[in-house]
Amino acid sequence: ILASPSRSFLPFAMNSERNRDRTPASEDEDDATAVLLPNKPSANEQTVEDDAPPPFKLFILRCLYFLSGVSGSSWGRFSTIYYNSLGFSAFQIGIIEGTMPLIIAVVQPLWGVVADRWCGKKAVYTVTRMISTLLLMLLSLHSVASSFYITLAVSLSMCLFSSGSILDAYAIQVCGKHTPRLYGPLRMWMALSWGVGGLAMGAINDR
């Protein structure tokens, strides 16, 4: 009676020893298989990657921010020097530079309403930026810049088409749920061009 359980226990013990001997090899095979097979992204990660904005749109936004920073740091910071070279008095320059921010503060929210309700952010920014650039180029004409009142009218008309905040709204719309990750690097291009434009325009004015 005592011998039979011990005999039946021997095959089980041998099998367990064989399984212990084979376990490290099987673990090594599993590790090798895990290394060879790439990890598949989860459904949520794949959805986030699919929702990322196209690289071309991000490139366009970088260019727009760069050009916006250059124009703001060059003309916006050195316009008083240009007015002074035209022979305008300090009082006249103060009227031009003091009236422009007031108009911009009123006009920009109105362009935001237009962009949200009718046209769209990209269309509003493109049209207003083109018109304001053309008006700015008029100040390079001697017939326009020689008169204070014409210069004042052109400068104030240029402010009527100021829509710099629309670019930020359009960038947030393009980035979507990736705004916390992409918006900062986009704005960096404007900060970079602001410094470059200021240094370049300062060197040009000194010459």
Side-chain angles (χ1 to χ4, degrees):
I1 297 172
L2 296 175
S4 59
S6 62
R7 291 178 180 176
S8 61
F9 179 74
L10 287 176
F12 176 75
M14 294 175 64
N15 291 331
S16 62
E17 291 179 356
R18 292 176 182 176
N19 291 331
R20 284 199 302 269
D21 295 337
R22 295 174 61 184
T23 300
S26 61
E27 292 179 354
D28 295 338
E29 292 177 357
D30 294 338
D31 294 338
T33 305
V35 172
L36 293 176
L37 295 177
N39 294 326
K40 294 183 179 180
S42 62
N44 294 330
E45 293 177 353
Q46 189 173 3
T47 303
V48 171
E49 292 178 357
D50 294 339
D51 293 340
F56 179 73
K57 285 189 176 182
L58 295 178
F59 174 75
I60 294 298
L61 286 173
R62 293 188 191 100
C63 294
L64 291 177
Y65 272 118
F66 187 87
L67 295 176
S68 179
V70 169
S71 62
S73 63
S74 57
W75 172 252
R77 295 295 173 268
F78 296 93
S79 57
T80 55
I81 299 176
Y82 177 69
Y83 295 144
N84 189 25
S85 65
L86 296 176
F88 295 163
S89 64
F91 178 75
Q92 292 174 331
I93 296 175
I95 291 177
I96 296 175
E97 294 293 330
T99 309
M100 291 173 64
L102 296 177
I103 297 178
I104 292 174
V106 175
V107 168
Q108 281 196 353
L110 297 178
W111 284 120
V113 173
V114 173
D116 291 336
R117 292 191 177 182
W118 290 289
C119 297
K121 299 176 180 62
K122 184 168 103 173
V124 169
Y125 180 78
T126 302
V127 173
T128 54
R129 197 67 178 179
M130 290 177 61
I131 295 176
S132 63
T133 302
L134 292 175
L135 292 172
L136 178 61
M137 293 175 64
L138 292 177
L139 296 177
S140 63
L141 301 176
H142 180 71
S143 58
V144 175
S146 59
S147 174
F148 165 73
Y149 294 102
I150 297 178
T151 302
L152 178 62
V154 172
S155 299
L156 298 183
S157 300
M158 182 176 60
C159 293
L160 293 175
F161 298 94
S162 177
S163 61
S165 59
I166 303 296
L167 179 59
D168 293 328
Y170 177 64
I172 294 174
Q173 179 182 352
V174 171
C175 294
K177 63 178 67 174
H178 300 273
T179 300
R181 179 173 59 88
L182 297 177
Y183 181 70
L186 290 175
R187 288 283 299 184
M188 181 192 67
W189 286 93
M190 186 174 185
L192 178 63
S193 63
W194 191 279
V196 172
L199 292 175
M201 187 57 65
I204 292 173
N205 287 326
D206 290 340
R207 293 182 180 179

